[in-house]
Amino acid sequence: MVILVLFGSLWGYFAPPHDPVAQDFSKRLMPPDLINLFGTDRFGRDIFSRLLVGARPTILVSTASTLLACTIGIPYGVLCGGAGRLGKILSRILDGIQAFPTLLLTLLFVTVSGSRYEIIVVSIGLSFSPLVARVAEGIVTSEIGRDYVLAARAIGVSPFAILVRHILPNGASVLLVQATSVLALTILSEAALSYLGLGPSTLVPTWGRMLFDARETMELAPHTVLAPLIAISTLVISVNLLGDGLRDVLDPTLVD
Amino acid sequence: MPSYPLHSLAWHHRPFTHLIAFVVVSLLLFVSPLPSRAQTTTLRIADSIDMTNADPQVSNEIPVLYTFAEGLTSLSDTGEIMPFLAEGWDVNDDATEFTFYIRPDVRFHNGRMLTGDDVLWSLQRIQNPDTGAFRGNNFQGLTLELVDDMTLRVTSPTPNAVIPAYMTDAFILAPESIGQDGTINQPIGTGPFTFQEWMPGQELRLAKFIEYWRGEPLVDEISYLIIPDPSARLNALRSNSADIIASIRPTDLPLLAGEQDIVTQLALPNLLTHLTFNTRDPIGPLADVRVRRAIAYMIDKESVRIAMVGEDGPGVVNNQYWNEGDFWRLPIPDEFAQPNEAIARDLLEEAGVADGFETTILTWADGRPAAEVVQARLLEFRITAQIEYAPDFPTYRTALEGYEYGMLIDTAFPRTDPATLLTFWNSTNPNNIFRGGYSNPDVDTLLAAGVATTDPEARREAYTETLTIVQYGDVASILMVTRNAVWGMRNTVEGFTPGTGQLNRIDGGVSITSLVTP
């Protein structure tokens, strides 16, 4: 299903069936038909084409946010778990950050800094980095007392090398699974931001923005809200299933 | 031997006795003629915009101010300026001297009778630039003096026929309103409702003023709810969380077709949706009048109309504030009534921006549909316009004051007189931030001429020329669509008409509104 969405995104980027921003007021709120597969919105724009085109920013923003969350979260988590007293202090700071709901943090960043794409990526990435950091910290904490770590320390391997060469590779599968979970959450966050009217206000539609626009017409033309809703749900479920699949493949404890 | 609580034994031994007692007591309570407290009737009105200040003289103009503060005059539903806190007025032949006769039977909310001193104090306060009154500009240069205790004379150095119109929103307050810090947080006015509690952005609570000079109001309280989102506001009405709501989107009217409990009414004057360029500090190619004219030729006003009100909604394509049939309807042919792609492209070519450029559209409230129509149209000419949507009025105002936008799309609210509408184009008016900071000495002169005569034809001429220069000479603004504001109310509301949109006025409003059982 993820591949299908990626394919749809490419289709939308190179050759969408209709111009996703072209308005045709003679075709406002038309129900789905063979020409407009998912109908049209209040400006007479083709919803299917907008979904295809909207997949790209949705995927790009969520993927970039997840990468940022991992880039910040993993080293921070490693420090929390492996830096002794400093790690404990960092860990308590993490507790403090996690006390704030993630969406609230994202809203705070976007409200203060503006709603450009790069700001949204940074806001979502920063907000979700504690989720990755906590898992990374757990891996380090649980592995640090293992025999192979003690053996490495005994032969004089530096702590940094132990973390990078031994501990992190052992926890890579768990981190990868966590990253897919975060990816699903960032998709929802991007949609939520756009739905709240805080998404980037460019001509390129995003799925959340389509939901936002459809609020005004959802009673008169339910198809306008159903299409982006189903698209977001499908992508989130797909990514979650992908995470489950990766866990099944990569986690040695689940191998029969 | 185990011990049992006495009451549990009693219960097990006489279960029916307890049950019967319970039923009898319940029935007695249910049918007993115990004196019941009289129910407080609260009229819940939801609107999109909140006051910017508890001081009505300083706040932006919104309908609720009129519920607790009043002016010497009032705007009638037919657009006439009528006596209100003044019983009447005289004017000399050249409209330089107005004498207002103040009503002797008006009380302030603190119980004190209204006097000429209060009126003079209020108007001088509005006139004082330090007050920062929203309408302070109207009173600059006027001489205010009391002829006797209840007679006010207003003298203008030049003829000024619209002084009675200015008085409609020059709110008269008791000087006791001023708090210890020198500002007004608890205004004492003369309106049918007294100011109780204001939670900015959420709610204003008002209580009825029993000694109101036009008679005791029919409801006990008003809860004025701020619900900026139009869908949420409509839902508040449909779910009976509000009795009256302002500014229903015309495109939402089909949703109310089957609602038996809800009625809608159109407010009388027009709302005007306009696109106005930032001409104070124009950004990039928009400084070139040819580019602005090209954009005017691109815009399809009919598409904007449909986006704003739907195919059959209460709105028309227009290039002025007044519709056909209105007295003030001006003879201004609309050069931009139809889009003309060829001229637009030629102008862009001539200005050297045929390859397009980037700009921004600043909007707020219900301006988004129009902004999206314009945005899509500009893109056809390779002009990429980012929409900057301000979530509320303070944010919008701050953005306007920053002058960092290319163009704005906004709605002009109805006013009492053309002069009060067009004064926004006056370069000396601080409120011309709402018109892109427009400045043209010729327009200033025309606006001065418009108020310097009582001859309606001469005034029409001045205003015709003003709007012609603004729209087709300088192309500072493109007036696009006029529409009626739509109000909705539940069928429990009686006696309410939106009229001119002011919630208390000479011939309607909340002082004669009641709530009944359907």
Side-chain angles (χ1 to χ4, degrees):
Chain A
M1 284 211 288
V2 174
I3 290 168
L4 197 67
V5 174
L6 289 173
F7 171 74
S9 164
L10 288 174
W11 183 12
Y13 184 65
F14 288 110
H18 298 276
D19 182 345
V21 296
Q23 299 174 349
D24 181 353
F25 282 88
S26 64
K27 294 173 76 176
R28 285 179 78 234
L29 303 177
M30 297 281 281
D33 59 24
L34 286 175
I35 298 167
N36 304 105
L37 287 179
F38 291 171
T40 60
D41 69 5
R42 63 183 172 149
F43 294 105
R45 298 175 296 203
D46 180 50
I47 291 176
F48 182 62
S49 303
R50 288 176 71 74
L51 270 185
L52 294 180
V53 173
R56 188 166 155 267
T58 305
I59 292 168
L60 283 179
V61 167
S62 50
T63 309
S65 308
T66 306
L67 285 175
L68 183 69
C70 293
T71 311
I72 297 169
I74 292 174
Y76 193 96
V78 166
L79 279 176
C80 287
R85 193 169 291 173
L86 172 69
K88 283 197 167 59
I89 295 169
L90 291 175
S91 187
R92 294 296 81 77
I93 294 172
L94 200 60
D95 288 341
I97 296 171
Q98 281 196 295
F100 290 95
T102 315
L103 186 60
L104 204 65
L105 268 182
T106 316
L107 280 174
L108 185 74
F109 287 131
V110 174
T111 308
V112 171
S113 314
S115 56
R116 296 192 306 277
Y117 271 125
E118 54 272 29
I119 299 287
I120 287 172
V121 167
V122 171
S123 304
I124 299 177
L126 283 175
S127 303
F128 282 97
S129 55
L131 292 187
V132 181
R134 194 52 90 202
V135 172
E137 182 191 0
I139 291 168
V140 175
T141 312
S142 65
E143 297 292 314
I144 209 157
R146 295 279 176 94
D147 291 344
Y148 71 91
V149 176
L150 296 175
R153 286 174 73 178
I155 59 169
V157 180
S158 73
F160 180 76
I162 293 173
L163 281 170
V164 173
R165 287 194 202 148
H166 302 289
I167 295 180
L168 279 182
N170 271 327
S173 61
V174 180
L175 284 171
L176 195 60
V177 173
Q178 177 69 358
T180 55
S181 301
V182 169
L183 179 63
L185 292 171
T186 57
I187 292 166
L188 288 174
S189 282
E190 190 278 329
L193 278 182
S194 297
Y195 179 74
L196 293 170
L198 292 170
S201 186
T202 59
L203 275 165
V204 179
T206 65
W207 291 353
R209 178 63 195 280
M210 289 176 73
L211 267 184
F212 174 79
D213 288 343
R215 283 183 322 160
E216 297 176 11
T217 52
M218 60 193 284
E219 277 189 74
L220 291 171
H223 66 270
T224 55
V225 74
L226 281 176
L229 202 65
I230 292 170
I232 292 168
S233 309
T234 307
L235 183 58
V236 171
I237 292 168
S238 309
V239 170
N240 277 329
L241 289 175
L242 179 71
D244 287 350
L246 283 174
R247 187 196 58 207
D248 293 346
V249 172
L250 298 174
D251 189 344
T253 61
L254 293 176
V255 176
D256 284 335
Chain B
M1 182 179 159
S3 65
Y4 296 98
L6 285 174
H7 60 83
S8 67
L9 282 173
W11 174 258
H12 289 297
H13 287 210
R14 294 197 294 272
F16 285 109
T17 316
H18 283 79
L19 186 61
I20 290 164
F22 176 75
V23 171
V24 168
V25 169
S26 302
L27 281 172
L28 280 173
L29 281 174
F30 188 69
V31 299
S32 68
L34 290 173
S36 62
R37 203 157 57 91
Q39 269 202 328
T40 304
T41 50
T42 303
L43 183 66
R44 300 157 303 168
I45 304 172
D47 202 346
S48 56
I49 312 169
D50 198 3
M51 303 184 295
T52 50
N53 198 302
D55 181 347
Q57 295 174 345
V58 175
S59 173
N60 56 330
E61 270 174 45
I62 59 168
V64 75
L65 301 181
Y66 298 84
T67 61
F68 59 89
E70 298 174 317
L72 292 180
T73 60
S74 176
L75 178 67
S76 80
D77 288 353
T78 52
E80 289 172 277
I81 306 299
M82 304 289 283
F84 210 39
L85 291 183
E87 289 179 309
W89 65 87
D90 294 328
V91 55
N92 66 356
D93 289 341
D94 63 352
T96 54
E97 191 178 289
F98 291 78
T99 309
F100 291 91
Y101 304 102
I102 299 156
R103 279 185 187 279
D105 55 347
V106 178
R107 275 186 197 279
F108 280 115
H109 296 152
N110 60 3
R112 192 169 63 71
M113 299 301 290
L114 170 74
T115 66
D117 285 329
D118 300 316
V119 174
L120 185 65
W121 176 83
S122 295
L123 297 181
Q124 283 176 340
R125 186 170 181 269
I126 292 171
Q127 196 176 34
N128 183 354
D130 294 341
T131 307
F134 192 75
R135 286 287 178 181
N137 195 59
N138 291 343
F139 286 81
Q140 297 311 312
L142 301 182
T143 305
L144 308 162
E145 58 186 329
L146 284 180
V147 178
D148 61 43
D149 283 354
M150 299 303 275
T151 309
L152 175 85
R153 183 185 294 143
V154 181
T155 313
S156 171
T158 54
N160 189 337
V162 293
I163 286 173
Y166 292 162
M167 294 296 180
T168 58
D169 40 30
F171 297 112
I172 307 301
L173 301 175
E176 302 90 283
S177 305
I178 301 278
Q180 286 184 336
D181 61 352
T183 62
I184 294 181
N185 296 312
Q186 202 71 26
I188 301 169
T190 60
F193 289 85
T194 62
F195 193 99
Q196 296 292 307
E197 190 185 6
W198 180 37
M199 288 163 277
Q202 295 175 51
E203 186 185 12
L204 170 64
R205 294 195 74 85
L206 302 149
K208 79 170 168 184
F209 180 40
I210 295 168
E211 294 178 281
Y212 181 52
W213 62 279
R214 295 163 73 202
E216 187 180 333
L218 304 174
V219 294
D220 298 316
E221 290 178 347
I222 288 180
S223 167
Y224 191 76
L225 304 157
I226 305 304
I227 308 179
D229 182 74
S231 302
R233 207 161 52 245
L234 188 66
N235 284 338
L237 182 69
R238 297 167 88 185
S239 62
N240 197 15
S241 302
D243 301 302
I244 298 173
I245 65 165
S247 308
I248 293 180
R249 271 189 308 240
T251 46
D252 283 341
L253 285 174
L255 295 175
L256 298 175
E259 300 263 5
Q260 301 296 318
D261 300 338
I262 292 171
V263 286
T264 55
Q265 286 192 34
L266 300 181
L268 295 170
N270 294 320
L271 302 170
L272 172 80
T273 300
H274 59 97
L275 181 152
T276 295
F277 295 98
N278 169 6
T279 49
R280 169 71 56 87
D281 192 8
I283 294 169
L286 292 177
D288 188 333
V289 70
R290 291 170 298 185
V291 177
R292 299 202 296 270
R293 193 179 298 280
I295 289 175
Y297 275 117
M298 290 172 202
I299 292 171
D300 180 5
K301 292 186 179 183
E302 176 61 11
S303 298
V304 174
R305 187 193 73 79
I306 296 173
M308 297 293 292
V309 302
E311 279 88 349
D312 308 316
V316 292
V317 165
N318 212 339
N319 67 338
Q320 55 183 289
Y321 298 83
W322 306 276
N323 287 353
E324 293 288 352
D326 286 354
F327 173 78
W328 285 107
R329 175 79 182 171
L330 303 172
I332 310 173
D334 191 0
E335 186 186 330
F336 307 133
Q338 297 292 330
N340 191 320
E341 199 174 319
I343 296 178
R345 289 199 190 282
D346 287 349
L347 285 166
L348 289 179
E349 184 87 49
E350 212 178 290
V353 286
D355 292 335
F357 58 93
E358 287 185 5
T359 186
T360 56
I361 303 173
L362 173 65
T363 191
W364 77 299
D366 52 7
R368 194 190 277 274
E372 288 199 28
V373 171
V374 172
Q375 183 190 42
R377 183 67 176 155
L378 295 185
L379 193 68
E380 292 176 31
F381 296 82
R382 298 182 189 175
I383 301 172
T384 308
Q386 184 98 358
I387 295 175
E388 291 175 352
Y389 186 78
D392 51 39
F393 182 75
T395 313
Y396 178 60
R397 191 180 178 120
T398 305
L400 287 177
E401 288 166 343
Y403 286 110
E404 287 182 358
Y405 59 90
M407 57 193 100
L408 63 89
I409 289 181
D410 196 1
T411 298
F413 289 88
R415 307 282 169 185
T416 49
D417 184 278
T420 57
L421 274 165
L422 298 177
T423 183
F424 283 78
W425 295 107
N426 192 324
S427 65
T428 62
N429 186 346
N431 286 330
N432 85 345
I433 57 164
F434 295 101
R435 300 295 179 273
Y438 178 72
S439 173
N440 183 333
D442 293 342
V443 165
D444 291 350
T445 308
L446 284 164
L447 290 172
V451 297
T453 174
T454 49
D455 175 14
E457 276 315 310
R459 296 188 69 201
R460 284 165 58 85
E461 216 169 284
Y463 297 141
T464 301
E465 208 173 330
T466 298
L467 283 183
T468 303
I469 292 174
V470 165
Q471 287 186 89
Y472 307 107
D474 293 335
V475 199
S477 186
I478 305 159
L479 310 188
M480 301 187 288
V481 172
T482 48
R483 62 195 162 92
N484 291 96
V486 185
W487 289 64
M489 63 204 77
R490 299 195 66 80
N491 60 359
T492 47
V493 177
E494 251 186 20
F496 181 82
T497 52
T500 51
Q502 293 159 358
L503 279 177
N504 177 45
R505 56 189 190 279
I506 187 68
D507 46 10
V510 289
S511 71
I512 56 166
T513 301
S514 60
L515 284 169
V516 296
T517 309

